[in-house]
Amino acid sequence: MAKAEKQLTLKPLDDRVVLEPTEAEEKSAGGILLPDTAKQKPQQGKVIAVGPGKLSDKGTRTVLAVKVGDTVLFGKYSGSDVEVNGKEYKIVRESEILGKLNK
């Protein structure tokens, strides 16, 4: 387990997922260095922790489609930004995840 994962004291509830957003691109496609004000918000991140799943009407938990270590895409303004131990994370519901990136 990575050092960052061991220090994470945040455990998501229900169908929520904790993501570590990737850094914004430093250069444009043409190779131009971008200032901080021109960088777009990252829309992909690595799954750091997952909740137990949403509770169904029958009282059972639904299994989440993502797991720790997956790289996922999410909406630009989805989820909540939080800071834990000086590190930025994003908490999103599973339904806000748009897809998984295959390696």
Side-chain angles (χ1 to χ4, degrees):
M1 206 184 269
K3 187 176 181 182
E5 292 174 23
K6 285 183 180 179
Q7 293 178 352
L8 187 65
T9 56
L10 181 64
K11 179 148 177 70
L13 301 175
D14 294 329
D15 66 336
R16 289 181 178 82
V17 178
V18 179
L19 303 173
E20 182 178 8
T22 57
E23 293 296 317
E25 292 292 324
E26 297 286 327
K27 291 184 181 182
S28 70
I32 299 171
L33 290 175
L34 297 172
D36 287 340
T37 55
K39 292 179 185 174
Q40 291 191 5
K41 279 181 92 170
Q43 290 181 270
Q44 78 179 46
K46 182 179 175 188
V47 176
I48 302 299
V50 295
K54 193 171 188 174
L55 194 60
S56 71
D57 293 337
K58 296 179 182 177
T60 59
R61 296 269 178 193
T62 57
V63 179
L64 298 180
V66 296
K67 62 185 183 307
V68 173
D70 285 346
T71 301
V72 297
L73 298 172
F74 53 88
K76 189 179 284 191
Y77 299 106
S78 60
S80 301
D81 296 320
V82 296
E83 185 175 323
V84 178
N85 298 334
K87 192 153 175 108
E88 293 287 327
Y89 295 101
K90 183 174 278 286
I91 300 176
V92 298
R93 288 189 175 274
E94 184 186 32
S95 61
E96 294 176 308
I97 294 174
L98 304 174
K100 290 195 301 190
L101 293 175
N102 293 330
K103 294 183 179 182

